[in-house]
Amino acid sequence: MESKRYHITVAGRVQGVGYRYFARDVAQSLGLSGWVRNLRGGDVELEVEGAQEDVDRLVEKLREGPPLSRVTDVGISPMVAVGAASEFYIRR
């Protein structure tokens, strides 16, 4: 199956509510690789790579977020797949 890579930004109340840990856990459960981090402006940023259907599932979950979050926007931009290792981590 062809691997796809995306840059994703999530806006709303997504910092201080466990959003990075939520995103990491969902991505790991789907076998995706990449990373997630907080941005200074209050958004959360991800780079994710894997099968298109798994990335789509992740995006669905990112739109929902963990219980205390309020997602107002999810921006998705395609990137060139690099065949990254199957690790998804929180980046500082």
Side-chain angles (χ1 to χ4, degrees):
M1 193 174 289
E2 185 181 350
S3 185
K4 301 287 186 175
R5 187 172 188 87
Y6 294 92
H7 178 262
I8 301 171
T9 54
V10 184
R13 189 170 74 185
V14 293
Q15 290 192 17
V17 294
Y19 197 93
R20 290 175 300 157
Y21 298 94
F22 168 82
R24 179 200 59 197
D25 293 348
V26 172
Q28 287 178 342
S29 75
L30 292 168
L32 297 168
S33 61
W35 51 264
V36 59
R37 70 177 173 182
N38 285 337
L39 294 175
R40 290 180 191 220
D43 294 347
V44 168
E45 175 184 43
L46 301 89
E47 277 192 19
V48 61
E49 185 167 334
Q52 184 68 58
E53 64 186 36
D54 294 329
V55 173
D56 291 343
R57 286 189 193 123
L58 173 65
V59 171
E60 286 176 25
K61 290 294 189 179
L62 293 176
R63 290 185 195 285
E64 296 171 19
L68 297 176
S69 70
R70 282 206 191 92
V71 176
T72 59
D73 187 50
V74 177
I76 306 167
S77 301
M79 300 177 69
V80 175
V82 295
S86 60
E87 178 186 13
F88 195 96
Y89 61 95
I90 294 173
R91 186 171 160 184
R92 304 278 180 225

